[in-house]
Amino acid sequence: MEFRCKKTENCFAGARTYEYELPVTGKELTRLLADWDIRENHRFRRPVFSARREGMEIKGILAARVVKVNFTEENWEEEKKGLERWLEETEA
């Protein structure tokens, strides 16, 4: 699948958070993340999800096509490359 990625700013120094614009919604993405620990929260006006695996976290609104990814401090570059390779190889 095609995606656009950009670094996002937040209040934490040295944060490794990136925003990904995807051709699928958050809900559709959760179905593709089979081996991740996925939690959904439907109590908000715009329900959200969080997916975690090995310290990495993907968060977003279930109906939106933009997600934020937090990578671990130790291996963030490898994790980012691996996630982007997986996204490229995954059918939307």
Side-chain angles (χ1 to χ4, degrees):
M1 85 177 68
E2 293 184 23
F3 62 89
R4 287 194 289 181
C5 174
K6 68 178 181 178
K7 176 94 168 98
T8 60
E9 299 299 322
N10 62 29
C11 59
F12 299 106
R16 293 141 319 274
T17 303
Y18 287 81
E19 184 176 281
Y20 288 83
E21 184 178 336
L22 306 172
V24 296
T25 65
K27 184 67 173 175
E28 294 165 325
L29 180 63
T30 62
R31 291 184 192 120
L32 299 171
L33 299 171
D35 56 342
W36 291 63
D37 176 28
I38 299 172
R39 299 183 192 275
E40 294 183 7
N41 187 338
H42 294 271
R43 288 188 243 165
F44 296 110
R45 183 176 56 87
R46 296 172 67 190
V48 296
F49 78 96
S50 171
R52 291 177 180 250
R53 187 181 76 184
E54 299 173 10
M56 232 172 39
E57 182 177 36
I58 301 174
K59 293 181 178 181
I61 296 171
L62 287 167
R65 296 182 185 272
V66 175
V67 297
K68 289 190 178 182
V69 181
N70 297 312
F71 298 100
T72 65
E73 184 175 352
E74 307 82 40
N75 300 315
W76 76 270
E77 291 171 321
E78 291 174 22
E79 292 169 356
K80 184 174 183 296
K81 287 178 188 175
L83 177 67
E84 291 177 355
R85 186 173 39 254
W86 177 81
L87 286 171
E88 290 169 349
E89 295 170 355
T90 300
E91 295 288 325

